[in-house]
Amino acid sequence: MRAGRAKQSARTLAAITRHDGARTVPVERFRALTLHADSPDTVLVARNTVRSALTDWGLSGLAEDARLVVSELVGNVVHHAVPDARLARPGAPRRIDITLTKWPKWLFLGVADEDSSPPTFPLGESFSPQLAHDLPEAVLPDSGRGLLIIHRLADALWWAPEEGGGKTIFCRFDLGERCADGPV
């Protein structure tokens, strides 16, 4: 029985590492964090955790974009998410789960909440970006601006309903020259 587990562990380790000369280098990295929407420092903790993870992984060139994205997503949960009836517990804090997963070519950022309502993704530009800065704020759209920012910063944006209720919004960042600090 132990030999079978040892082989399985060795295969799993081989699947998430590569050999770089004399050392073994992790190929995949993962960080998860659970926050509560009612805490006054929820967005700050999310931003700082993302920056810390990306710095640790040698992706500090991507940290500011990813911090802004997580800030917008967590802010949306704090200000707009209403837990589904089956997930809502009177007096209980609203839960936000954040995941970061780094693969050799991509960084995935997920923000999960307890509201199954689909996000309102921007369909297109109401105004040319060159004109928008000259328009009075009253003319610009009232909602969806945060997701428009995310859509511009991330290379892909989508959402998925959770089986037990709630949803996760995912962003994919393609890792390239602007992201890398060196081998990690």
Side-chain angles (χ1 to χ4, degrees):
M1 190 70 116
R2 282 189 172 175
R5 284 187 193 158
K7 283 184 181 180
Q8 179 66 25
S9 295
R11 280 194 300 262
T12 301
L13 182 61
I16 62 170
T17 62
R18 66 179 164 81
H19 295 287
D20 187 18
R23 64 188 181 121
T24 300
V25 179
V27 173
E28 180 270 337
R29 304 237 179 184
F30 179 81
R31 216 166 270 185
L33 175 67
T34 297
L35 299 170
H36 297 284
D38 306 315
S39 175
D41 59 350
T42 299
V43 176
L44 178 64
V45 170
R47 283 194 313 253
N48 290 344
T49 300
V50 166
R51 179 180 49 212
S52 174
L54 297 185
T55 300
D56 290 350
W57 299 343
L59 299 174
S60 60
L62 182 60
E64 289 308 309
D65 287 353
R67 285 182 74 219
L68 181 55
V69 166
V70 79
S71 180
E72 290 292 337
L73 291 174
V74 170
N76 283 349
V77 175
V78 168
H79 297 293
H80 304 295
V82 177
D84 295 351
R86 66 177 168 231
L87 296 175
R89 295 178 311 272
R94 295 178 296 140
R95 181 180 170 139
I96 304 171
D97 294 313
I98 301 169
T99 57
L100 280 169
T101 307
K102 177 194 174 282
W103 288 95
K105 295 181 181 181
W106 308 284
L107 173 73
F108 294 96
L109 168 66
V111 175
D113 64 60
E114 299 169 315
D115 184 347
S116 294
S117 303
T120 306
F121 288 116
L123 297 175
E125 305 251 359
S126 300
F127 300 98
S128 161
Q130 294 81 11
L131 296 176
H133 72 279
D134 291 331
L135 294 172
E137 192 166 320
V139 177
L140 297 173
D142 287 337
S143 64
R145 287 186 258 183
L147 287 173
L148 184 59
I149 291 169
I150 294 167
H151 186 68
R152 294 211 175 222
L153 294 175
D155 293 297
L157 173 66
W158 70 98
W159 77 283
E162 296 293 332
E163 190 173 310
K167 68 179 171 297
T168 302
I169 297 180
F170 295 98
C171 298
R172 187 195 77 227
F173 296 90
D174 296 340
L175 302 181
E177 306 251 343
R178 74 179 183 108
C179 304
D181 296 340
V184 171

